[in-house]
Amino acid sequence: MTGGILSHPFALAVLAALSLTGCSQAGSGTSASEPARARRMDLKACRLDGVAAQTLCGTLEVFEDRAAAKGRKLSLRVVVVPALASQPKEDPLFFLAGGPGQAASRTRILPALERIRRQRDIVFVDQRGTGDSHPLDCDALSPSRTSLAERFEDREDADVIPQCRKGWDADERLYTTSIAMDDLDDVRAALGYRQVNLWGISYGTRAALVYMRQHPDRVRTAILDGVAPMGQYLPLYAARDGQRALDLLLDACAKDSVCAKAYPDLRARTEALLAKLEAAPAKVHLAHPRTGVPEDFTLTRRVFLSELFSLLYSPDVASLVPLMLDRATKDDWTSFVALSLGLTDEVARTTSRGMFMAVVCAEDAPFFTEEDAEREAKGTWFGPRMALDVKRACAKWPQANVPKSFREPVKSDIPTLLLSGELDPVTPPPWGEEAKRTLTHSLHVVVPGLGHNTVGADCARSLMAEVLTRGSVEGLKPDCGAGLKRPPFFTSFAGPVP
């Protein structure tokens, strides 16, 4: 799952070589008129899991405390996938991962970029606190625990975070987006690129916007996929936006003759199931899908809804949700467990939970109240617990110094392509429209039938390649995926998750 932005127990995200020191202040980029500098970072051949393409890896050393320019240093992992052309374009594509907390080098996004890689290098940088860049990992918060009882335990992150922090050699106040984007500019300089193109997904779109604000002369174009503008506080609006996606799914099932016949009165029966779980958690006995060993566990309404939210990110997975809900209303939890576990490994593999906390506790939680959470979740099945849990967990987190101006909309005339999935449960199209208001040279395209990021659509990949070729959004056709629609619903399920 690329670009998830929520903390468990609600959706998860909603995730080697010579070093060089860099220590510029926020917003201190040099002029784009400066000639391109020679590469000052050693890169050596390396291999990424699941990637056949030639890759080069290196590290860049930066101060954890950039303002002080002294003390602990962090080694940032940098991966460059060279362009296929003998004379590639001078401006690469920098990928900014989601989460917050995903490691860029561990995402499996490269196959979608083959068209772009023909002419341009692709660069992945593990943001500080993620992947192999001084990760703030927390095994106690990992969803990939062995037993089903552990996997579906209803627990408060606020109770676990203190023990995680004991294992980190870090000042968690220094892992914010603004600081990380100055790290990124040091990477750009060390690699010898005068300008870059940015592609951010989910939280990565916030990171891209911040980089555009701090280093505007360094950005040739930007692509924001699953737009999280500065006015979106995580996860304040998740209940509302997730309910929208769930309503679209249930309405589509009711209007589909096959789905409606297979799962009659599904909305009403699901509401009855939620009321039942609210009254008393379900006692579940079934064989673990991976080991075959029978296990017992308790499932609360809150955990059930957290997993349901996660299943809405991808329309392909969401096509199984009506079947799962139907069986759950009949006390058959087999498909629910199989679907939930199917999403676990990738999220755990690519996401540092401490970095998630470092970002949201500095940049999101201080900007909304518990009253805001109650208001925004009113009338939803998911309720205010997503936002309230984050507020409570952040109360035990070191308070970073993020100015109120951080949340002001980013104003820019950098050519920017904004992409939104019609069915996205966490960054739906209205957020793309909000960002567009202050991006004067931008185009917002909504792709039908897709969820949380659009790179799966060929038309979206074509638009990305075009904006990079043109260096502009002028002349781009805003229509994308006119023939696309939600995948057909499953009415039978036996075997592994697709």
Side-chain angles (χ1 to χ4, degrees):
M1 178 176 65
T2 302
I5 62 175
L6 298 179
S7 173
H8 184 86
F10 281 87
L12 285 161
V14 127
L15 174 182
L18 185 67
S19 298
L20 180 73
T21 299
C23 53
S24 63
Q25 298 291 327
S28 60
T30 52
S31 169
S33 63
E34 176 188 60
R37 290 175 279 185
R39 177 171 290 167
R40 294 187 287 130
M41 184 194 307
D42 277 357
L43 297 174
K44 296 181 180 179
C46 60
R47 286 290 180 186
L48 298 183
D49 289 344
V51 175
Q54 176 192 7
T55 55
L56 303 172
C57 296
T59 58
L60 177 68
E61 195 170 79
V62 297
F63 285 110
E64 183 184 56
D65 189 339
R66 295 183 61 91
K70 63 182 180 180
R72 184 186 296 115
K73 292 182 178 180
L74 313 178
S75 291
L76 306 178
R77 188 186 195 205
V78 179
V79 177
V80 178
V81 184
L84 296 173
S86 58
Q87 293 184 322
K89 301 295 183 181
E90 294 182 355
D91 45 281
L93 179 68
F94 272 46
F95 173 67
L96 300 174
Q102 279 197 313
S105 69
R106 296 181 186 176
T107 58
R108 296 177 178 176
I109 204 76
L110 188 61
L113 303 176
E114 285 302 308
R115 199 175 316 183
I116 294 170
R117 184 177 163 242
R118 293 171 192 169
Q119 297 293 327
R120 286 180 169 79
D121 295 347
I122 310 295
V123 180
F124 301 87
V125 181
D126 285 354
Q127 189 168 326
R128 59 167 60 198
T130 74
D132 293 311
S133 296
H134 205 77
L136 303 183
D137 292 336
C138 182
D139 291 340
L141 288 174
S142 173
S144 58
R145 293 165 293 167
T146 304
S147 73
L148 296 180
E150 290 177 311
R151 174 62 179 81
F152 297 109
E153 179 186 2
D154 191 344
R155 72 197 187 285
E156 295 280 354
D157 284 1
D159 298 330
V160 180
I161 286 168
Q163 70 184 75
C164 292
R165 293 187 58 228
K166 292 178 182 178
W168 297 331
D169 181 22
D171 183 342
E172 299 92 335
R173 299 171 299 173
L174 299 175
Y175 289 75
T176 61
T177 306
S178 296
I179 296 173
M181 290 305 99
D182 281 346
D183 289 347
L184 192 71
D185 196 58
D186 284 353
V187 172
R188 173 205 60 77
L191 291 174
Y193 299 121
R194 185 165 56 197
Q195 280 194 318
V196 300
N197 303 282
L198 302 176
W199 176 36
I201 287 181
S202 191
Y203 160 75
T205 67
R206 178 195 295 184
L209 287 166
V210 171
Y211 186 91
M212 291 162 66
R213 178 161 62 193
Q214 294 179 185
H215 303 282
D217 293 344
R218 293 306 181 190
V219 185
R220 177 175 174 266
T221 67
I223 302 166
L224 309 181
D225 190 351
V227 188
M230 306 311 292
Q232 185 194 45
Y233 307 134
L234 306 180
L236 176 60
Y237 305 100
R240 180 196 70 188
D241 292 339
Q243 189 66 49
R244 169 191 173 274
L246 183 55
D247 287 341
L248 288 174
L249 182 146
L250 293 173
D251 289 345
C253 178
K255 294 174 183 176
D256 181 285
S257 59
V258 175
C259 189
K261 182 178 180 180
Y263 314 121
D265 302 317
L266 186 59
R267 182 185 293 272
R269 288 191 291 126
T270 302
E271 288 179 331
L273 170 65
L274 294 177
K276 183 179 177 181
L277 290 174
E278 182 71 18
K283 302 296 183 181
V284 183
H285 176 83
L286 54 76
H288 195 296
R290 293 174 181 165
T291 66
V293 177
E295 296 187 26
D296 295 286
F297 67 95
T298 299
L299 182 66
T300 66
R301 172 188 166 116
R302 184 167 80 118
V303 171
F304 174 74
L305 284 170
S306 100
E307 302 296 338
L308 175 58
F309 194 105
S310 298
L311 300 177
L312 300 174
Y313 276 62
S314 164
D316 289 329
V317 175
S319 66
L320 285 152
V321 166
L323 181 149
M324 180 276 288
L325 291 176
D326 175 74
R327 293 194 177 180
T329 63
K330 301 171 183 175
D331 291 323
D332 178 354
W333 299 100
T334 306
S335 56
F336 166 78
V337 170
L339 285 171
S340 298
L341 295 182
L343 297 176
T344 297
D345 288 346
E346 182 70 7
V347 174
R349 186 182 72 85
T350 63
T351 303
S352 295
R353 296 296 312 288
M355 193 276 204
F356 174 94
M357 297 301 301
V359 170
V360 299
C361 291
E363 302 174 10
D364 296 276
F367 294 91
F368 67 85
T369 65
E370 293 191 1
E371 290 75 19
D372 294 332
E374 296 283 353
R375 181 189 68 249
E376 293 299 331
K378 188 176 181 179
T380 71
W381 288 357
F382 299 103
R385 285 297 297 273
M386 301 187 216
L388 294 178
D389 285 352
V390 166
K391 289 286 289 185
R392 291 163 186 164
C394 288
K396 298 185 178 182
W397 192 265
Q399 185 61 54
N401 182 23
V402 176
K404 291 184 178 180
S405 61
F406 174 80
R407 278 301 183 172
E408 292 179 359
V410 172
K411 299 178 181 178
S412 174
D413 61 0
I414 294 169
T416 303
L417 173 64
L418 304 139
L419 296 166
S420 297
E422 174 198 14
L423 309 177
D424 191 339
V426 68
T427 54
W431 291 117
E433 283 299 303
E434 177 171 319
K436 185 179 186 299
R437 294 190 189 106
T438 55
L439 302 175
T440 57
H441 189 184
S442 63
L443 174 69
H444 182 209
V445 178
V446 178
V447 185
L450 293 191
H452 189 52
N453 79 60
T454 65
V455 72
D458 183 69
C459 65
R461 296 193 297 273
S462 295
L463 284 170
M464 292 171 60
E466 279 196 64
V467 75
L468 290 174
T469 299
R470 295 168 183 252
S472 170
V473 296
E474 299 298 331
L476 291 185
K477 295 181 179 179
D479 297 329
C480 179
L484 291 176
K485 57 183 180 179
R486 181 190 294 276
F489 293 107
F490 279 74
T491 53
S492 62
F493 176 69
V497 178

